[in-house]
Amino acid sequence: MRKIVILISGRGSNMRAIVQAAKEQQWPAEIVAVISNKADASGLEYAASMGIATVVVASRDFTSREAFDAVLQQEIDRFAPDLVVLAGFMRILTTPFVTHYSGRMLNIHPSLLPSFTGLATHRQALTAGVRIHGTTVHFVTPELDHGPIIAQAAVPVLPGDTEQSLAERVLVQEHVIYPKAVRWFVEGKLTLEGDLVHIGAESTESAGIACVG
Ligand code: GAR
């Protein structure tokens, strides 16, 4: 069984999608802990209700990123995970931390990378006037929102869209591609070649989803 630790900062709907998929599809993996940098992250309740260990490392208690990341790393490594999954974990991570989990830490970002890195991605998309927006699952590397891409899903930007309506449309697809990508990882289907990700030939599922109309 592969061990997965999931990091959240808030409601944790992606974490929930992954926990549910792992259970329903009987992955060869166990979500061993959900860790939050915020004590009031509502996703913690769901994780606890599923019998998953929960940990809070409150980022507000730390004065430097280095100190926070060092403690976070200790807490994660207590669970000896094969994979660390960032699911709405709203922290910029230090290079030593990211390097420690090189090749075994994934993130989901609410845009079609390499467009719209950073925050307020739906506002960025509306401001740019793009007609297609979406979400990306990628390996985490030291450069923010730039790691090798595993899966993407595209959604249309519709007339009258607000940040919220667009975010909701994208979130539906996040819940599809993130469990899929994590499953590929735990099944050993992902290989990294430089900046490119290969998905095992035996996988018949597409790593790109387009929802048109
Ligand atoms: C998701 O939309 C995720 O893509 C985004 O935060 C949201 C978390 O929702 N992540 C980032 O913006 C990371 N830079 P959730 O807590 O319901 O999964």
Side-chain angles (χ1 to χ4, degrees), residues 11-14 87-88 90 108-110 171 174:
R11 73 191 156 182
S13 70
N14 278 289
M90 305 305 279
I108 190 157
H109 182 75
L171 192 65
E174 294 188 32

Side-chain angles (χ1 to χ4, degrees), residues 103-186:
R104 56 188 180 113
M105 182 156 67
L106 308 185
N107 181 47
I108 190 157
H109 182 75
S111 80
L112 289 173
L113 292 174
S115 292
F116 311 137
T117 58
L119 296 174
T121 55
H122 309 303
R123 193 184 320 155
Q124 291 187 57
L126 290 171
T127 304
V130 295
R131 304 305 196 210
I132 303 284
H133 184 43
T135 178
T136 303
V137 178
H138 63 97
F139 281 99
V140 178
T141 54
E143 193 179 352
L144 184 69
D145 301 330
H146 270 82
I149 290 171
I150 300 166
Q152 291 187 305
V155 302
V157 179
L158 300 177
D161 258 338
T162 61
E163 273 184 65
Q164 193 185 338
S165 64
L166 192 50
E168 284 168 9
R169 194 172 308 121
V170 170
L171 192 65
V172 171
Q173 298 307 319
E174 294 188 32
H175 297 163
V176 175
I177 63 167
Y178 213 1
K180 211 174 186 183
V182 174
R183 183 180 179 169
W184 284 333
F185 184 96
V186 297

